[in-house]
Amino acid sequence: MTPTFPNLAFPTPGILPCQSIETLIAGGAIASATPFDVDQVQPASLDLRLSERAWRVRASFLPGRRLVADRIEDVSMHSIDLSGGYVLEKGCVYIALLQERLSLPPGLIARANPKSSTGRVDVFVRLLTDRGGSFDDVDEGYEGPLYLEIAPQTFSILVRPGTRLNQLRLKAGEPPKLETRSVGVDLQGGDIVGFRGRRHAGVVDLDKIDGHDPKDFWEPLALRRGELLLDPGEFYILASNEAVEIPVDQAAEMTPIDPSVGEFRVHYAGFFDPGFGTDEAHGAGSKGVLEVRTHDTPFLLEHGQIVARLVYEPLTERPTRLYGEGGSHYQRQGLKLSKHFRTWG
């Protein structure tokens, strides 16, 4: 199918809303090996799905001037058929072919990020494109397949064709940065201020919602003297001190940690869609959940300490649906584990 781009005009730079993404799908600029799922297009992003093909690789890589498939031949240990379900083991690196492929029209670029549920189980994922010079970024005019690097860190995970680990956000031009807000950590939210992943837990089935006992995978954390000591190499789920609100005509991304605010990384999953935390979408008071992994040294975290920053950008137009309108596991959230776990208690 030759891509066509009817009714695509972006007089101002911005992030594409759901109706524009659907137009790209209808015109063939975004294609798939199987029919798209009815809930795959989010208010300002597109969920991407695993295909049946994956490889266990001995090292991560960037394609540079080469095709991803050619680089896989250099580092592949063995190929994997995901069709019957497959456990990706923690501490290993995998590359999977995604079902979607792109033929981006002029003026559009794209950026990928892990889905919130992926980050909350400490699975590190990055998008790869043919001849790509950086992870997660898709150049203007890119035409070709999409691949995903997958590196489970704390839990081994069970995946299948159709499992959604990351999402794609499309941008017209260079959207201005409307605002940057600092995000502090909440260490006074109740008897439990966070969770730490258990090192020798079982497998998390990423397509099984509310299907795991959280006590088998997580250790609850209580506040001591108004501070929390982060141990090197451990993974934590914490909550933001402030409520997060994303206006209906904007989207936001949680930026990677700045070394000036601490020796740890916050938030693998960085996209916040329009309507998150708003009255209009019935989400007022929603917190941002923070996925925290320390680096090489212990770090003492205090209540309210700045741990991340939210960068807001405009949409090209208001989306026809808002975050949470079709149902969401994370609208109106406080401190919350991923959707794979039952409520703590």
Side-chain angles (χ1 to χ4, degrees):
M1 178 179 180
T2 301
T4 59
F5 313 112
N7 305 318
L8 274 180
F10 307 109
T12 59
I15 294 168
L16 268 58
C18 51
Q19 61 267 32
S20 296
I21 297 173
E22 289 164 348
T23 298
L24 289 172
I25 292 172
I30 305 173
S32 173
T34 63
F36 286 91
D37 297 335
V38 294
D39 62 345
Q40 196 171 340
V41 178
Q42 305 299 324
S45 60
L46 172 71
D47 291 348
L48 301 177
R49 303 168 298 171
L50 300 184
S51 73
E52 297 180 353
R53 299 177 61 195
W55 297 263
R56 166 76 166 95
V57 295
R58 57 187 172 84
S60 175
F61 62 85
L62 275 172
R65 298 179 180 179
R66 300 175 62 186
L67 301 180
V68 174
D70 293 340
R71 294 292 284 128
I72 288 174
E73 289 184 6
D74 296 337
V75 297
S76 175
M77 299 172 67
H78 59 85
S79 61
I80 297 167
D81 182 357
L82 301 181
S83 58
Y86 193 90
V87 174
L88 306 183
E89 297 186 29
K90 67 178 182 179
C92 299
V93 182
Y94 303 86
I95 302 294
L97 176 67
L98 297 175
Q99 294 191 34
E100 294 74 27
R101 61 181 292 122
L102 298 178
S103 299
L104 288 185
L108 289 187
I109 61 172
R111 178 170 173 78
N113 231 300
K115 287 181 62 63
S116 180
S117 297
T118 305
R120 293 190 203 196
V121 290
D122 199 19
V123 179
F124 187 61
V125 301
R126 300 189 288 194
L127 188 75
L128 293 165
T129 56
D130 286 342
R131 301 184 177 88
S134 61
F135 294 109
D136 287 331
D137 291 320
V138 184
D139 294 335
E140 178 181 357
Y142 176 75
E143 183 170 356
L146 301 173
Y147 296 83
L148 189 64
E149 177 188 314
I150 309 168
Q153 302 293 299
T154 296
F155 311 119
S156 296
I157 58 173
L158 176 61
V159 300
R160 305 169 182 82
T163 298
R164 307 178 194 180
L165 296 177
N166 69 333
Q167 55 196 335
L168 194 71
R169 182 167 279 180
L170 295 112
K171 298 183 180 183
E174 296 184 7
K177 304 296 187 290
L178 300 176
E179 184 180 6
T180 299
R181 295 183 184 177
S182 296
V183 179
V185 63
D186 180 11
L187 296 179
Q188 295 181 354
D191 294 336
I192 298 176
V193 298
F195 297 94
R196 178 168 52 206
R198 297 187 183 277
R199 281 187 171 270
H200 303 291
V203 174
V204 178
D205 185 337
L206 293 189
D207 295 316
K208 195 172 183 180
I209 309 305
D210 295 326
H212 305 76
D213 186 342
K215 294 180 181 178
D216 292 335
F217 295 84
W218 300 96
E219 175 189 354
L221 302 174
L223 190 66
R224 293 176 57 86
R225 298 183 297 275
E227 57 195 22
L228 181 65
L229 181 63
L230 304 178
D231 291 320
E234 300 291 342
F235 179 70
Y236 299 85
I237 295 292
L238 304 172
S240 68
N241 189 35
E242 309 83 4
V244 174
E245 181 178 342
I246 311 299
V248 297
D249 59 351
Q250 298 177 26
E253 182 175 357
M254 191 82 81
T255 58
I257 192 65
D258 183 335
S260 67
V261 300
E263 290 301 319
F264 52 87
R265 178 184 175 87
V266 171
H267 225 73
Y268 293 163
F271 289 164
F272 286 77
D273 271 350
F276 179 91
T278 64
D279 279 328
E280 186 171 348
H282 310 292
S286 298
K287 296 291 190 77
V289 168
L290 308 170
E291 301 121 18
V292 179
R293 173 171 286 281
T294 51
H295 294 324
D296 297 327
T297 59
F299 190 85
L300 201 58
L301 203 58
E302 297 182 344
H303 173 73
Q305 185 170 341
I306 302 303
V307 295
R309 295 185 173 90
L310 267 175
V311 178
Y312 290 73
E313 295 177 310
L315 302 182
T316 56
E317 60 179 322
R318 180 189 167 113
T320 54
R321 56 184 178 274
L322 301 177
Y323 181 85
E325 285 187 346
S328 169
H329 294 274
Y330 304 130
Q331 188 73 291
R332 300 182 299 277
Q333 70 181 357
L335 175 66
K336 184 174 175 61
L337 297 172
S338 76
K339 63 185 180 183
H340 313 102
F341 303 98
R342 296 190 287 273
T343 301
W344 187 273

